[in-house]
Amino acid sequence: MSSLKFFILFIISLLSQICLPQATDGLMPYMQDFKSISANNTVTVTSYEKGGAHYVYAGGFGGIDIFSLNKEGKLTPIGSQALYKEDGPARGMVVDRIKGTDFLFVANKHGNAIETFKILDNGTLDRVSLTMDTDETHLGIAITLQVVHMKQGSYLFIGGLEETPGLSSFKIQDDGKLAHVQSMKDDEKIYTDGIIGMFTHKIKGKTYLYTGGFQDNGVSSFRVYENGSFKNINNIGDTTTDRYLTGAYPVTGVKLGDHYYVIVGHRHHKYYEKNGFIKNPDFVYHGDAVSVFKVNRKGALVPHSILKDDENTKLQGQTRIEIVSVKSNEAILAVGTRDDASIQLCKLDVNGTLTPINYLETGYSIYYGLRSHKIDDDNFLIAGSNRFDLKKVVSYKVSPKINRGKKVLRHIVNLKYKEEATEAQIDEAVKAFENIKNEIPEIEHLEWGVNDSKEGVSKGLTHTFTLTFKDDHAREIYLFHEAHINLVTKIGPIIDDVLVMDYWTEQ
């Protein structure tokens, strides 16, 4: 090969590495399925693989709904589990294997208790333990759980929003029961007033736990010892300039190369009504951002970088951050937002810099209900909403973004009304469907008509409604919009059958 040809090939290779976007830069969540739940809403979601099968647990007010998840991201309901006092809501659910047995640990927020369930072979649950709050522990209004595995045993760390907040450690016994080890009461030094996020790093044989304090606006790091006891290492509070920890909420982390990172989101107190829930209403709002901390050799947190919200991102009211995938030099994160009602995908590089990729406007607020799950080589997200009118759990596949060009989406709804439905009821249903465009501006166009086919293969369907959307966001917002939910609830009793199809086409 001539030196000139070799030089040209070298330059082309170099440019391809520098100029062409990497595959992860074009990822996007695409909805695969959604199913109804029996609980009043979806507050928390977790998932687990057992015996080659994949299960999703969606917890809310009243109970936990159980689904199987297949490799296409389809959800199949397989059961439900009532909570203690049949209230809840289920919060901070974590699934783990303890000495060969699979358990689901649930923080029962209003029950002031931790429930332990054994996961049976078919994915359903059997309660094996109920740990109630005492004067020594901090299980009142329990919200967040974190399992920490040590050489001689495993421990469940618990935080919440009680009036006397703090952090507690319990040893997990072989039968799933919990034995109290240590509780640390919140004070002016540590940030444990309203622990809504926790994460654990293991660094050179030592275990460190990181917590976010929602009410006291900061993050704390702790060393965890072999017997499940712990001590505080360092604490970092909010500022009105370069830190974004007012309402510290989700906490997660990842190791990239030789670096250990902790990522913290927040839902600023400005998003809450000043009705006494926020203990310190004297706050300053200077934006929304996701904060990245680096862990030093002593396990302490060090402020490292931020990704601030702007007109091109959806980061207002971050309530959940999930690690979607990890390579040696980068990680993909999904940020669920309550106030932007979106899932924002981001990339964290080996240097600890967080950059936005793409976002999907889900059309519903995410509270604590977002979970990443991998099946074979595919990455999924399972989400739910705290909205009481929605009562759905939704699955998404994280895939390369599809170039739609100038195409629009046609959403075709074919209906058959029940024989006993009166003409007046049908007219009212049609008018309600027509009016939905006035309530959901994301609908670009709506038209409808009565079937006039003479081929005899309409299968009794009589009315067709065609809605046009300009992009994926618009369809998501429509599907989960309050007006659409109300429409389905209103006309559902007189619908005998329905056929829905979507397709992309040139305008």
Side-chain angles (χ1 to χ4, degrees):
M1 181 184 295
S2 68
S3 58
L4 178 60
K5 186 175 181 181
F6 178 85
F7 178 75
I8 292 173
L9 290 174
F10 172 78
I11 293 298
I12 291 173
S13 175
L14 185 62
L15 288 173
S16 68
Q17 297 178 46
I18 297 174
C19 300
L20 294 179
Q22 300 299 309
T24 54
D25 293 336
L27 293 175
M28 183 79 176
Y30 288 102
M31 186 173 68
Q32 303 300 298
D33 194 14
F34 64 88
K35 289 291 188 298
S36 296
I37 58 173
S38 62
N40 288 323
N41 60 355
T42 301
V43 176
T44 306
V45 175
T46 193
S47 60
Y48 197 61
E49 180 182 356
K50 181 178 175 69
H54 300 263
Y55 300 103
V56 170
Y57 300 92
F61 276 92
I64 302 167
D65 288 277
I66 308 165
F67 302 85
S68 63
L69 181 71
N70 70 10
K71 61 182 180 180
E72 282 78 39
K74 299 298 181 182
L75 295 157
T76 301
I78 60 174
S80 62
Q81 174 66 50
L83 293 169
Y84 168 64
K85 292 186 177 181
E86 297 185 354
D87 185 12
R91 291 293 300 264
M93 300 193 303
V94 293
V95 186
D96 219 312
R97 171 164 286 194
I98 308 297
K99 295 289 184 68
T101 303
D102 300 311
F103 293 107
L104 171 67
F105 302 95
V106 180
N108 188 320
K109 180 178 177 182
H110 293 308
N112 296 335
I114 306 301
E115 301 189 53
T116 304
F117 298 93
K118 181 180 178 181
I119 301 177
L120 304 180
D121 289 341
N122 63 355
T124 58
L125 304 174
D126 179 31
R127 185 188 290 108
V128 295
S129 174
L130 183 66
T131 305
M132 305 300 298
D133 192 23
T134 69
D135 292 337
E136 294 180 293
T137 60
H138 301 279
L139 310 186
I141 316 183
I143 288 182
T144 303
L145 306 178
Q146 178 74 36
V147 174
V148 178
H149 295 289
M150 307 299 287
K151 291 180 181 179
Q152 302 301 321
S154 298
Y155 300 88
L156 187 68
F157 280 76
I158 303 163
L161 279 171
E162 63 177 323
E163 291 302 315
T164 55
L167 177 65
S168 292
S169 168
F170 288 77
K171 185 172 183 179
I172 305 171
Q173 300 178 5
D174 293 355
D175 58 1
K177 294 181 179 179
L178 304 178
H180 184 233
V181 175
Q182 179 188 351
S183 289
M184 183 179 292
K185 186 177 180 180
D186 183 64
D187 58 28
E188 295 298 320
K189 178 184 176 183
I190 60 177
Y191 293 99
T192 55
D193 189 347
I195 298 175
I196 308 183
M198 285 194 279
F199 184 78
T200 304
H201 269 309
K202 289 185 178 290
I203 305 173
K204 295 184 178 179
K206 296 180 180 179
T207 301
Y208 302 98
L209 177 72
Y210 304 95
T211 66
F214 172 81
Q215 290 283 10
D216 48 8
N217 310 320
V219 291
S220 292
S221 57
F222 300 87
R223 170 78 187 277
V224 180
Y225 295 96
E226 189 60 42
N227 64 356
S229 63
F230 55 96
K231 76 170 185 178
N232 182 233
I233 299 176
N234 81 319
N235 310 281
I236 298 174
D238 190 41
T239 68
T240 59
T241 54
D242 60 345
R243 294 182 195 163
Y244 296 82
L245 296 173
T246 302
Y249 216 109
V251 178
T252 189
V254 67
K255 179 180 183 289
L256 295 175
D258 296 326
H259 307 294
Y260 293 85
Y261 296 106
V262 171
I263 303 99
V264 180
H266 72 121
R267 188 178 190 229
H268 199 281
H269 291 169
K270 81 161 220 167
Y271 296 115
Y272 292 83
E273 295 181 6
K274 294 185 179 181
N275 58 1
F277 172 67
I278 300 301
K279 294 181 180 179
N280 182 11
D282 184 21
F283 54 78
V284 175
Y285 177 72
H286 62 290
D288 293 84
V290 178
S291 301
V292 178
F293 295 86
K294 200 170 185 179
V295 180
N296 69 16
R297 60 186 179 85
K298 296 182 179 180
L301 292 172
V302 179
H304 186 70
S305 67
I306 59 168
L307 172 61
K308 190 171 182 180
D309 186 48
D310 60 25
E311 66 276 6
N312 298 313
T313 57
K314 295 289 182 180
L315 296 175
Q316 291 190 23
Q318 309 136 37
T319 51
R320 192 70 179 169
I321 302 177
E322 286 286 298
I323 305 296
V324 176
S325 62
V326 181
K327 295 182 180 179
S328 60
N329 60 349
E330 69 177 30
I332 302 301
L333 282 66
V335 182
T337 54
R338 183 169 179 175
D339 299 277
D340 266 337
S342 300
I343 298 174
Q344 170 78 60
L345 294 183
C346 301
K347 179 173 70 173
L348 181 70
D349 67 22
V350 70
N351 297 314
T353 301
L354 195 61
T355 55
I357 303 176
N358 290 305
Y359 61 78
L360 177 68
E361 296 180 75
T362 59
Y364 55 85
S365 55
I366 295 173
Y367 191 33
Y368 204 75
L370 183 66
R371 170 74 170 183
S372 64
H373 189 87
K374 187 172 184 177
I375 302 179
D376 297 331
D377 294 326
D378 294 322
N379 296 302
F380 296 92
L381 291 168
I382 303 99
S385 177
N386 60 307
R387 278 172 44 190
F388 277 77
D389 68 313
L390 187 59
K391 301 184 69 169
K392 299 285 191 299
V393 62
V394 191
S395 65
Y396 302 87
K397 185 176 181 180
V398 180
S399 307
K401 186 175 182 180
I402 301 170
N403 182 10
R404 305 290 190 191
K406 295 183 179 181
K407 289 183 178 181
V408 295
L409 178 69
R410 307 283 192 223
H411 176 74
I412 316 298
V413 181
N414 301 284
L415 298 175
K416 176 184 178 182
Y417 296 98
K418 293 180 178 178
E419 290 184 5
E420 60 267 27
T422 66
E423 186 174 342
Q425 287 178 313
I426 294 174
D427 288 344
E428 184 180 3
V430 169
K431 289 178 181 178
F433 212 134
E434 279 186 300
N435 185 60
I436 200 171
K437 186 179 185 304
N438 300 324
E439 300 183 72
I440 306 177
E442 285 75 17
I443 300 174
E444 294 282 302
H445 181 70
L446 185 151
E447 63 182 39
W448 73 277
V450 177
N451 178 44
D452 192 36
S453 174
K454 303 299 189 285
E455 296 179 82
V457 290
S458 302
K459 301 185 183 302
L461 299 165
T462 59
H463 290 65
T464 296
F465 298 84
T466 302
L467 290 71
T468 300
F469 302 103
K470 67 178 182 180
D471 55 28
D472 295 273
H473 306 284
R475 173 172 55 179
E476 299 283 332
I477 292 171
Y478 157 78
L479 286 175
F480 303 118
H481 197 284
E482 183 179 0
H484 181 230
I485 300 295
N486 290 340
L487 174 67
V488 173
T489 302
K490 182 177 181 179
I491 71 174
I494 65 169
I495 299 299
D496 187 48
D497 199 4
V498 60
L499 173 65
V500 179
M501 296 186 69
D502 293 2
Y503 66 92
W504 293 89
T505 185
E506 300 293 338
Q507 295 191 54

